Amino acid sequence: MDGAKPMGIRNVSSICSLTELDDHDLSRLLEKPRLINNIDRQRSFDERSLSELPMLRVRGSYDNFDSMPSPGVRSGIDTPASWDGNSLDPHPIVAEAWKALRRSLVYFRGQPVGTIAAYDHASEEVLNYDQVFVRDFVPSALAFLMNGEPEIVKNFLLKTLQLQGWEKKIDRFKLGEGVMPASFKVLLDPVRKLDTLVADFGESAIGRVSPVDSGFWWIILLRAYTKSTGDLSLAERPECQKGIRLILMLCLAEGFDTFPTLLCADGCCMIDRRMDVYGYPIEIQALFYMALRCASMMLKQDSEGKECIERIEKRLHALSFHMRNYYWLDFQQLNDIYRYKTEEYSHTAVNKFNVIPDSIPDWIFDFMPMRGGYFIGNVSPTRMDFRWFCLGNCMAILSSLATPEQSMAIMDLIESRWDELVGEMPLKITYPAIESHEWRIVTGCDPKNTRWSYHNGGSWPVLLWLLTAACIKTGRPQMARHAIDLAETRLLRDGFPEYYDGKLGRFIGKQARKYQTWSIGGYLVAKMMLEDPSHLGMISLEEDKQRKTLMKRSSSWNC
């Protein structure tokens, strides 16, 4: 972090850091706010991938972490203290999960700053699983917050905020100032015996795609930390206020778009490979909506903050109307699309996006129940992606992007299609899988995304916490309990794998890493949330009455 090059690294520009190493010890940063304006920026690296850099600093162990001072307080203002890893629990997986989670901790100058993606020593290829991912750390962070251990989350938020201030270049092209890193790792300079940070903003990622969701998750986690601890001072720091505004400036900039949704490339979110989610994917729109609402709550009413809040409110109104009307699909709307006329012109057009009815896939007619509905995967000119995406729909419920009626309909759909969406191992990331010739075209013949595997219809245990939160919010905890019971039959025995394969999720993923940290964290969060539903307040927002959208149905719906 001091600008010096770690041993064996040549001209690596992302290793530049904020200032001299000795002047920016994390413990000092926690005590005294520092403005991002004072950051000493240097070039981002463009010559060498993160996977080539040596000496990852993962020094966490169960004993090491226990020796650190613990806050020893309630896990939040509205959340009673949760049980810890040593509490009596009827299922042995809980204690083992906590041990595995603590084993994955990454330290920077003696302070825990995150958890690595996977702690699988049996895997021959490390790739980037030995790094701290912003997206992946969220379930771990929520678990620590619920367990009354907020310091690691605070450290993570501040450290990634510092990384945001780096100048970011990929192949001589400069990224936006507000882009958050996809991941980072801690390295040790063997000569100077000093820790340094290396960040990846997409330049080392598979496919070289910059993460759009990292900034949104950072804002959501900052709000969760504030809600859990009651510590308003962190979010009110000048550097945090600026960090929020920088993220939003990338999204709220005026341009050529005629939609309030956010235009994104394939691979910019949890589905980080080519899977035909380019355009306006539901996952990004739901996270965008959640981040906008969280930001509006945390931004100060000063001159800069007030202007940003005004822009947020305008975007929220437009975004909620657009999503609730054009992304929503139920039996009635499906029947309406089935009878669309095309090539309509003017403001009175019913088929606003000129969707050709023949493009509706056959599977959707059998999949759609009479009761229930969901937000489809994507909407853009002449194109509707009818696939089910779990994260986007659950986050739509938690952020109240979905109306109360839509939230209940989503849960009705999950209940009606339990075997397809939950199966034997929760939870399908998307449904259905892409197969045959379509798979070749859409994925580029990606061998990892074969049908019912990985992002192409695979089952991801990490999604358990999102389903549990959605179940609690909609008053259906029994559904969450059933899903958790299913997961507990195999998760520990299988070594907490990253994902499962098959239509029912019966097989451990063919390339899944064991002891995947967010599989562990997702299970713990689901377990603690079900035991103490008041934890839901960290990650859930109530409906904003001012944005109660009037669902405008076209005249053809009544035909």
Side-chain angles (χ1 to χ4, degrees):
M1 287 276 303
D2 59 349
K5 301 175 184 176
M7 295 299 293
I9 301 176
R10 55 182 179 80
N11 196 23
V12 177
S13 46
S14 252
I15 294 197
C16 82
S17 93
L18 310 159
T19 51
E20 282 300 311
L21 198 79
D22 296 336
D23 293 335
H24 277 273
D25 186 87
L26 183 58
S27 60
R28 297 185 187 179
L29 183 60
L30 291 173
E31 296 171 0
K32 183 178 179 181
R34 301 190 67 90
L35 295 177
I36 295 183
N37 291 340
N38 295 331
I39 293 173
D40 177 22
R41 295 176 179 153
Q42 297 181 28
R43 292 180 301 117
S44 151
F45 75 80
D46 52 13
E47 293 190 11
R48 198 161 178 182
S49 71
L50 263 173
S51 58
E52 296 179 84
L53 300 176
M55 309 191 69
L56 173 69
R57 296 285 281 180
V58 183
R59 293 185 279 128
S61 68
Y62 194 89
D63 294 334
N64 192 9
F65 187 86
D66 283 348
S67 65
M68 296 179 58
S70 173
V73 296
R74 294 175 64 222
S75 59
I77 297 178
D78 302 319
T79 56
S82 177
W83 40 263
D84 59 26
N86 298 318
S87 295
L88 295 177
D89 188 272
H91 208 288
I93 190 175
V94 174
E96 293 301 320
W98 274 111
K99 290 179 182 178
L101 184 63
R102 299 188 192 282
R103 193 166 58 237
S104 69
L105 283 166
V106 174
Y107 288 76
F108 180 75
R109 282 182 245 143
Q111 301 263 8
V113 293
T115 51
I116 58 172
Y119 201 82
D120 186 2
H121 291 301
S123 176
E124 296 180 358
E125 286 186 307
V126 175
L127 295 177
N128 54 0
Y129 285 85
D130 62 349
Q131 296 168 33
V132 180
F133 279 81
V134 173
R135 177 193 311 129
D136 294 36
F137 179 66
V138 171
S140 300
L142 294 176
F144 285 120
L145 287 174
M146 292 177 184
N147 204 44
E149 303 176 61
E151 284 303 309
I152 180 176
V153 182
K154 187 174 186 178
N155 296 345
F156 171 85
L157 289 167
L158 288 170
K159 191 52 57 184
T160 46
L161 182 64
Q162 288 181 307
L163 297 175
Q164 182 198 41
W166 290 5
E167 182 177 274
K168 300 166 277 283
K169 285 186 178 179
I170 299 179
D171 292 336
R172 302 182 182 181
F173 181 73
K174 184 178 179 181
L175 275 66
E177 188 179 2
V179 173
M180 279 287 184
S183 64
F184 67 87
K185 69 192 310 182
V186 182
L187 302 176
L188 174 65
D189 183 332
V191 177
R192 302 179 63 190
K193 305 296 182 184
L194 294 174
D195 287 345
T196 60
L197 286 186
V198 181
D200 177 16
F201 293 93
E203 68 268 47
S204 297
I206 296 173
R208 302 301 186 265
V209 178
S210 182
V212 176
D213 60 343
S214 289
F216 299 152
W217 280 121
W218 186 88
I219 292 175
I220 293 167
L221 185 57
L222 177 61
R223 187 260 178 187
Y225 169 87
T226 303
K227 181 73 174 177
S228 172
T229 64
D231 177 14
L232 303 177
S233 63
L234 179 62
E236 291 177 350
R237 290 188 181 189
E239 63 267 37
C240 282
Q241 292 286 305
K242 182 177 180 181
I244 294 172
R245 293 195 303 269
L246 286 175
I247 293 170
L248 298 184
M249 283 171 60
L250 294 172
C251 311
L252 299 176
E254 296 175 347
F256 291 96
D257 266 325
T258 57
F259 310 142
T261 42
L262 200 61
L263 182 62
C264 303
D266 239 345
C268 66
C269 53
M270 179 181 175
I271 298 178
D272 56 6
R273 293 200 179 208
R274 181 176 167 187
M275 269 292 293
D276 201 30
V277 297
Y278 67 89
Y280 307 90
I282 178 61
E283 177 177 332
I284 290 297
Q285 312 315 317
L287 288 172
F288 182 31
Y289 185 86
M290 181 69 153
L292 287 174
R293 290 199 64 192
C294 290
S296 67
M297 298 173 184
M298 295 186 293
L299 284 171
K300 291 183 178 180
Q301 290 283 350
D302 53 22
S303 57
E304 293 179 307
K306 189 175 181 180
E307 180 184 356
C308 192
I309 291 172
E310 290 175 354
R311 297 180 67 183
I312 288 173
E313 290 302 316
K314 291 179 181 178
R315 190 62 167 264
L316 283 171
H317 279 286
L319 183 60
S320 61
F321 178 87
H322 185 91
M323 298 297 296
R324 292 171 182 176
N325 282 278
Y326 303 131
Y327 274 67
W328 183 251
L329 188 71
D330 54 21
F331 186 85
Q332 184 178 7
Q333 174 69 343
L334 178 60
N335 195 68
D336 183 60
I337 297 172
Y338 177 70
R339 300 175 65 248
Y340 266 164
K341 295 179 180 179
T342 59
E343 301 300 323
E344 293 182 296
Y345 177 76
S346 86
H347 297 289
T348 61
V350 174
N351 186 0
K352 296 180 183 296
F353 301 99
N354 198 35
V355 175
I356 311 300
D358 286 346
S359 68
I360 302 175
D362 291 338
W363 65 265
I364 190 65
F365 295 104
D366 294 326
F367 178 76
M368 180 60 70
M370 293 296 294
R371 290 179 62 252
Y374 66 102
F375 290 100
I376 63 174
N378 219 320
V379 175
S380 56
T382 72
R383 177 174 181 261
M384 298 182 82
D385 184 348
F386 290 90
R387 285 177 295 172
W388 153 269
F389 289 88
C390 179
L391 194 156
N393 275 273
C394 288
M395 189 56 69
I397 293 175
L398 297 178
S399 65
S400 289
L401 171 60
T403 65
E405 296 78 15
Q406 288 174 334
S407 296
M408 297 304 292
I410 292 171
M411 302 311 296
D412 285 340
L413 177 88
I414 295 175
E415 195 168 18
S416 298
R417 296 293 177 255
W418 185 267
D419 289 342
E420 292 91 337
L421 302 181
V422 180
E424 295 184 19
M425 175 54 69
L427 190 67
K428 284 282 178 241
I429 188 172
T430 184
Y431 180 90
I434 301 172
E435 305 183 55
S436 304
H437 181 66
E438 184 184 10
W439 167 79
R440 294 184 178 88
I441 299 299
V442 167
T443 72
C445 298
D446 184 359
K448 198 168 187 177
N449 270 329
T450 54
R451 62 179 184 174
W452 308 113
S453 179
Y454 200 51
H455 296 315
N456 189 13
S459 297
W460 292 70
V462 63
L463 297 172
L464 190 61
W465 79 265
L466 285 157
L467 175 65
T468 300
C471 287
I472 294 171
K473 185 171 182 179
T474 54
R476 305 194 189 190
Q478 70 283 358
M479 290 177 61
R481 166 54 61 195
H482 185 29
I484 291 173
D485 288 344
L486 285 173
E488 286 179 336
T489 62
R490 292 191 57 183
L491 270 182
L492 179 60
R493 184 183 68 189
D494 295 341
F496 298 99
E498 180 183 17
Y499 64 95
Y500 286 78
D501 287 350
K503 281 189 176 182
L504 296 176
R506 298 179 62 189
F507 305 97
I508 299 174
K510 57 186 176 182
Q511 295 187 44
R513 296 301 195 279
K514 298 291 186 72
Y515 291 95
Q516 188 80 14
T517 306
W518 68 354
S519 296
I520 298 165
Y523 165 74
L524 288 173
V525 171
K527 192 81 169 176
M528 286 189 283
M529 202 179 299
L530 195 61
E531 180 180 274
D532 180 4
S534 63
H535 286 310
L536 181 66
M538 292 185 199
I539 200 66
S540 176
L541 299 175
E542 293 305 312
E543 184 183 20
D544 189 336
K545 303 301 182 182
Q546 294 180 344
R547 270 186 291 278
K548 207 166 184 180
T549 302
L550 177 63
M551 300 294 288
K552 294 187 177 180
R553 302 195 170 199
S554 65
S555 58
S556 63
W557 287 26
N558 301 318
C559 296

